[in-house]
Structures are given as C-alpha cells and as structure tokens.
Amino acid sequence: MNYTLHQLNVFLTITELGSVTKAAEALHLTQPAVSIQLKNLQDQFEIPLTEVVGRQLYITDFGKEIALASQNIINEVEIINQKLITYQDQIAGKLKVSVVSTGKYIMPYFLTDFLKKNPGVELKMDVTNKASVVRSLEKNEVDFSLVSIPPSTLALEHITLMQNKLFLVGNASSELKVNKPYKSNVLESIDLIFRETGSGTRQTIEKHINQQNLTVKRKMELTSNEAVKQAVVAGLGHSIMPLIGIKNELELGDLKIIPVKGLPIQSQWQLVWLKNKKFSPAAKAYLDYLIEHKDEIITKKFEWYESP
C-alpha cells in the first residue's frame, strides 16, 4: 500500500459530496485531477471503492469503510500538526460552530478578536434554523452551537452570552400606535408573519401565543429573519421579531416597536456544547477566550441592546 494523504482527502471529499465534479469544485481542482487521484487510490485495492449506476456515482460498503478510516487518519494528522504549532506557542486547527439564524447578528462579534489573535484557526460557521443546529449537536459535528432555548433532549454544558428579546413590530404606516401598551389579544386582530417550522424564533412565539390562549391569523411564513423583516417593512403584516436584527430599520424609521403587555418575550443566548466533549486545542482556547472576554465584548458592542 502506498496511498497518500492527498488521495485519502480527495476520496473523503468525493464520499461526502457524492460526486467527482462537486469534489473538484470543493477542492479547487480540475475534474480530471480528482478522477486520477481516485483511480490511483482504487488501484491499490482489489475491492471497488465506488460504482457507477446510470450516471450516478455510489460509494460501495467497502468504500464507506475506507472513507471512515480516511477521516480518522486525517483527524490524527491534524492533531499532530496542532501539537507542533502548540509547542511553537501558537493555536491552530478548525473551530466548528453552528448558529441559529438570528444568532448571526451577535456571533461574529464574539469571534472576531479571537480569530485575529489566532490566524492559524480556521472557522467553519453554519448559520441555519434550530432544527438543523440540534442535529449538528446530536451528531457531534460541531464544537459549539448558539441557541436561545437549548434542546432538553441532549446533555449539554453552556455559557450564557446575552439576552434575546422579541417584540411585536410593524412598519411606519402600521395603524397600531407606540405610545400605549396594547392588551395581548391585539395579536388576534392583526395579520402575523411567521418563520418556518423548525425555527427557534417560531417555537418561542407559538409557545407564548398558546400560553396566552390566543387565536392568531398566520398571514404567511418565510424561511429567514431577513425575509420576514422585509415583508413587514413592505406592509404585508406584523411580526414578533428579535430586537437584535432590526436596529438599523428602527433607527431609519422603517419599523416601529408596538408595545404589548407580556412582551418582549425574553430568553438568553447560550453557547452550548455536548457534555464531556473532547475539545480540540482551538476549541478549548476559544472557550477560555470567551469566558475571559464576553462581558467586555457585550459592553463594547451591545450597550444599545442590553440597556433597558
């Protein structure tokens, strides 16, 4: 056997993406170059790693075993490289974070200075809905996840970052006034715009509505906070939205907060990780950094938000 790390990495990418073409794009190589590396690896085994049915590439059971072994080998090599860099008083390696979509407004501020101080750290941040974030935690695919309501089905540890506050908002032309709080049943008289099923924001809002025994009119549901925000600005309805994502629109007067008794809905942004998680040097260094600097970051970047 005389396979190389490069061949293993190419094959692993092919198995993850299910396509030589997509693997070539991901690796910034030509398709023939990827095909050659796959052939050179295959030539060292008597059992097929892949098979083509029609025009679709499939990984054989043996190929899946080789892919798993390849991942383990590459992980060990990364650990060796990280140990070398650590002995050189540097921090390096991958830092993998999944973030619920509204968390994109705060998470970068808790990462920027750490990444500047540690240029050897490679960040992979997936911004998605809560259901996908929970799946990435369950599969141990990430070091940390940012959520406002941690899943109760997993054994987790956490560090609390800051408040998450949801208000009823309308556009500048909304007939609802801002000078006197409405009763909670005002939500029954307006068209509400919701996030999609699986969104943490939607789950929080629906829980609040059920607790208040309200029957509301769902005008539409959209798959991102940005889409919801633009729909409200355009006058398509009202929505209960995280304050963190609408600062500019409030300052410009495109949106206004409608005071309602029982609002805002409040929770806490939490960075969570699996209990007994074995951290890489990069992940451990980031957690230490966050514990030391989070209050400073909040004061510096989010004073407008944290004040009453």
Side-chain angles (χ1 to χ4, degrees):
M1 295 291 177
N2 194 30
Y3 43 77
T4 66
L5 286 173
H6 181 54
Q7 290 170 354
L8 296 180
N9 187 53
V10 168
F11 179 61
L12 185 60
T13 306
I14 292 171
T15 63
E16 289 174 346
L17 300 178
S19 163
V20 170
T21 300
K22 291 179 180 178
E25 293 174 354
L27 295 168
H28 305 291
L29 297 172
T30 64
Q31 185 172 336
V34 171
S35 296
I36 290 170
Q37 293 301 320
L38 176 59
K39 181 180 183 302
N40 289 343
L41 182 63
Q42 175 64 78
D43 287 346
Q44 299 180 66
F45 301 98
E46 296 181 0
I47 304 173
L49 299 171
T50 63
E51 59 182 352
V52 177
V53 179
R55 301 182 64 181
Q56 179 64 47
L57 178 74
Y58 293 92
I59 310 301
T60 65
D61 289 342
F62 178 69
K64 292 176 182 177
E65 293 291 334
I66 297 302
L68 180 60
S70 299
Q71 182 66 76
N72 292 334
I73 291 169
I74 291 170
N75 288 344
E76 291 299 321
V77 171
E78 287 184 354
I79 290 173
I80 291 171
N81 292 336
Q82 290 168 11
K83 287 184 181 296
L84 173 61
I85 293 171
T86 300
Y87 272 96
Q88 295 172 333
D89 294 326
Q90 298 179 39
I91 298 170
K94 293 181 180 179
L95 177 63
K96 294 175 284 187
V97 183
S98 60
V99 179
V100 292
S101 55
T102 50
K104 68 185 177 185
Y105 298 110
I106 70 167
M107 196 64 207
Y109 294 100
F110 290 95
L111 286 162
T112 300
D113 286 346
F114 174 78
L115 294 175
K116 286 180 179 178
K117 292 176 181 177
N118 301 283
V121 174
E122 177 188 347
L123 173 67
K124 179 181 179 182
M125 187 169 76
D126 183 28
V127 179
T128 182
N129 65 23
K130 184 181 178 182
S132 296
V133 168
V134 172
R135 281 196 298 270
S136 68
L137 271 173
E138 288 175 332
K139 295 179 180 179
N140 197 25
E141 295 175 340
V142 294
D143 299 307
F144 304 103
S145 293
L146 183 70
V147 295
S148 59
I149 301 179
S152 58
T153 55
L154 298 176
L156 301 173
E157 297 186 50
H158 75 277
I159 177 173
T160 299
L161 298 184
M162 52 189 286
Q163 300 177 71
N164 182 27
K165 299 180 282 190
L166 284 74
F167 290 86
L168 177 66
V169 296
N171 75 350
S173 301
S174 169
E175 69 280 4
L176 298 179
K177 308 302 181 182
V178 300
N179 54 351
K180 184 179 179 180
Y182 290 88
K183 294 181 179 179
S184 60
N185 62 5
V186 70
L187 299 177
E188 297 181 316
S189 65
I190 57 178
D191 293 328
L192 283 174
I193 302 172
F194 279 75
R195 282 287 307 278
E196 80 285 4
T197 301
S199 158
T201 298
R202 174 167 175 160
Q203 292 172 0
T204 300
I205 294 169
E206 288 182 334
K207 180 180 178 180
H208 175 80
I209 289 171
N210 290 335
Q211 288 175 340
Q212 299 294 320
N213 295 317
L214 301 174
T215 302
V216 300
K217 294 181 287 184
R218 288 176 170 81
K219 176 72 173 180
M220 63 181 73
E221 67 176 49
L222 300 170
T223 57
S224 74
N225 284 290
E226 288 300 313
V228 171
K229 181 166 60 178
Q230 293 307 317
V232 176
V233 170
L236 293 176
H238 295 75
S239 188
I240 299 175
M241 298 194 67
L243 176 63
I244 196 68
I246 58 175
K247 178 184 178 184
N248 291 339
E249 288 73 19
L250 291 173
E251 291 179 345
L252 292 171
D254 295 330
L255 292 177
K256 62 183 181 182
I257 292 176
I258 313 298
V260 177
K261 292 180 179 179
L263 296 182
I265 306 170
Q266 298 194 55
S267 58
Q268 298 282 341
W269 288 115
Q270 297 181 37
L271 197 69
V272 302
W273 60 93
L274 290 175
K275 194 172 184 179
N276 300 319
K277 170 80 175 176
K278 294 182 179 179
F279 286 127
S280 67
K284 178 62 168 61
Y286 179 63
L287 182 58
D288 291 342
Y289 164 84
L290 204 55
I291 291 171
E292 181 179 354
H293 295 285
K294 69 157 189 164
D295 291 338
E296 173 188 341
I297 295 169
I298 292 170
T299 299
K300 184 177 180 181
K301 300 295 184 180
F302 298 102
E303 184 177 6
W304 70 272
Y305 180 83
E306 288 289 290
S307 58

